[in-house]
Amino acid sequence: MRAADILTLTKSGLYCAAGDFYVDPIRKVPRAVITHGHSDHARAGHGAVLATAPTLDVMEVRYGPKFAASRQAARFDETITLGEARVTLKPAGHVLGSAQVLIEVQGARLVVSGDYKRARDPTCPAFEPVQCEVFITEATFGLPVFQHPPVKDEVAKLLHSLKLCPERAHFVGAYSLGKAQRLIAELREAGFDSEIFVDAATAKLCNVYEAHAVRLGRLSLLEEKLPSDLSGKITIAPPSARRLFADAEYEPVTSFASGWMRTRKRAQQGGGELPLIISDHADWNELTQTVLEVSPGELWITHGEEAALIHWANLNGIAARPLAIKGYGQDDVPPV
Amino acid sequence: MNRFAELMDRLASANDPELKQRLRADYTSGVSEAESKIAQGILNRTLKIRRLKLPLVRGLAESRLDPVLFALSLKYVGDAAETIALLWPARHGANRAPSLAEVLDGLSTLGRSELPKRLEAWLDACDAKGRWALIKLLTGFIPSDEALPTKNSEQQTGTLLPAQERSQPGRVEALLMYVEHGRSRSSDLICTFGVWDKGQPTPLAKVSAGQWREQISAFASAHPGRRFGPVTEVTCTPDIALMLEVEYESLQPSPRRKSGVSLIRPKLSRLLPDRPASSAATLPDLLLRLPAHQRRAK
């Protein structure tokens, strides 16, 4: 068995014939292993789902209790046999519950890393490099221009702005799963212990974090407040919640937290008055460092800015190929 | 340098005059009087600065990085100075970032042969924003909207665009909002796309799904919204949405449309399934691409 034969790319996503399961399938399938709860990886309607307990909880919060016919929670490092395949989940450091999937078939080893990062995150265990013959990586920030600054510096900018404009509300646009909770936890570590306002969807996911022993401190529901209550406070919610601040008298300092804020064009398009470069994906240095640590014979790239990473891998003697999952037309379209 | 760069950056994105005033005061209180005077001189363009040629700076960057990686990065970012600033590989043990005074002093005292080495050390010591400001300062391209922060916003944006009748061809990162099946039997899929406006998706125009019909159709059936006859709404939130890159030949003001702008010959150029929906273009951003005299207050 060659490691490269463990998975094949089908219309529904990556399929393991030896264990008869898919990893993060993009269509409904009888059996799925899910790396983490973001909606492009974790979909509703599969038959059996294997994932970490926090990921299953996130799916239930998002899709309701019937999101799959059956579910099985796996602990990190616990090996589960599916048909002829041995499956072990390893921390990916992306969001709460996020896992890499190590698949072993007759001694051959392949790792699907899902989405991951290497920077410290107080809300989830750190990524563990796992040696394997085939390593499947993302490349969301797969260009050398993407180098995320230390998150503490970005959090300090937000707190400094609050000092500079103590009478204004501070609205930070962030994903409801992962980014929001990480930012809250980082604010707490920086000594900010006032209440933080979140929208209802983010609050539900914060409850999942709390249930898994991630302490987020005092949170209040944004929807229950008047604009005047938010002056001098920090609100963290998806960008669409910005509309709740319609009253011009209480115009907030608007911020957006994303790795895309690294380039000026993006920051000026959507970063508000205070763009923050905070990402839950590996930057260029983290991607290349990880590949060197894992030292696979072959690198497969699921999605993202893959051309530069493939070129870099080839320079380093590693065979690399794009999977172009979700129908990327990379051959005929140049990067932006 | 880093502080000055941060100030320029914040001034460029601040809309509120009161906030701009506080940012300037905050900067001034954190640096020496001499440093603050230099900053003022740069911002109001009264300071004469020795210029360097961009290829010199570019040569330094290219000597540190593989040319293919540099080219791919430049293609993505679009601006050479910014590309160099962003991808400049960090070197351990770099000094603290130079002050504006140190940079000016170096420029006036160093000879032609000594300067590249000093510049390299400065770039090593700055953060990405500091490098960007340093390169722009040395090559003489501090953007005018950032140099004149006290001007009102209409004047600022006016200086960014060439004065011509039609807007340039361009592309926009848009959100998939609705799909409908084509009228003919040819099983084409028509996509309505939009951009963010005040946090809500606002429709712009329609394009054919073309070669991406299957992927778009799969996304639409996985995330269906309300149905209006042949038209199906597609989930479009900052959390779940499909991003499309749409090219157009030009933009025209269109008071009849909700968006206030029409795209001439829009064409889907690719899907961006991995981009966060919240980073899609905004309507104000798109309206800024109209020639200044065609813009109207929304």
Side-chain angles (χ1 to χ4, degrees), chain A residues 11 26-27 39-41 43 62-63 115 138-140 143-147 157 160-161 164-168 175-177 205 238-243 253 256 258 260-270 272-275 277 281 284 303-305 307-309 311-312 315 325-330 332-336, chain B residues 6 8-10 12-16 18-19 22-23 26 65-66 68-70 72-78 82-83 85-90 128-129 131-132 143 145-146 171 173 196 198-200 211-212 214-215 218-219 222-223 237-240 243 245 269-282 285 289:
Chain A
K11 274 189 173 175
I26 54 179
R27 300 178 180 192
S39 55
D40 49 338
H41 294 258
R43 289 162 198 261
R62 292 202 147 165
Y63 304 126
D115 291 340
E138 56 144 324
T140 306
L143 279 170
V145 292
F146 291 112
Q147 299 174 29
K157 281 181 195 169
H160 184 69
S161 176
L164 204 61
C165 305
E167 80 291 1
R168 288 179 72 184
Y175 293 145
S176 55
L177 171 60
L205 291 161
S240 59
R242 174 72 176 73
R243 70 182 190 287
V253 173
F256 187 62
S258 162
W260 298 111
M261 296 299 113
R262 174 87 171 162
T263 62
R264 302 182 68 77
K265 186 185 128 211
R266 290 298 189 97
Q268 286 171 5
Q269 271 176 11
E273 289 168 313
L274 183 64
I277 308 170
H281 292 271
W284 173 257
H303 59 273
E305 298 289 338
L309 193 59
H311 176 77
W312 173 89
L315 286 180
I325 288 185
K326 291 173 279 182
Y328 260 49
Q330 296 295 340
D332 52 344
V333 205
V336 178
Chain B
E6 178 75 17
M8 289 214 314
D9 235 33
R10 292 296 308 278
S13 57
N15 299 318
D16 175 24
E18 168 70 21
L19 177 59
R22 285 188 203 181
L23 288 168
D26 186 44
L65 195 81
D66 174 81
V68 175
L69 293 180
F70 187 90
L72 287 169
S73 298
L74 178 59
K75 208 167 176 183
Y76 180 89
V77 176
E82 186 182 358
T83 306
L86 292 179
L87 59 63
W88 188 261
K129 277 183 189 169
R131 287 191 293 265
W132 176 83
D145 58 328
E146 280 147 36
R171 52 180 79 169
E173 292 184 1
W196 295 116
K198 301 187 183 75
Q200 296 297 321
Q211 66 184 99
W212 294 280
E214 272 206 21
Q215 288 104 280
F219 183 90
H223 304 98
T237 66
D239 237 15
I240 305 175
M243 274 182 66
E245 184 184 86
S269 52
R270 64 168 175 166
L271 306 190
L272 303 166
D274 203 55
R275 292 282 161 81
S278 35
S279 74
T282 65
D285 166 55
R289 299 186 196 177

Side-chain angles (χ1 to χ4, degrees), chain B residues 42 60 139 208 238:
Chain B
I42 294 169
L60 291 175
T139 53
S208 158

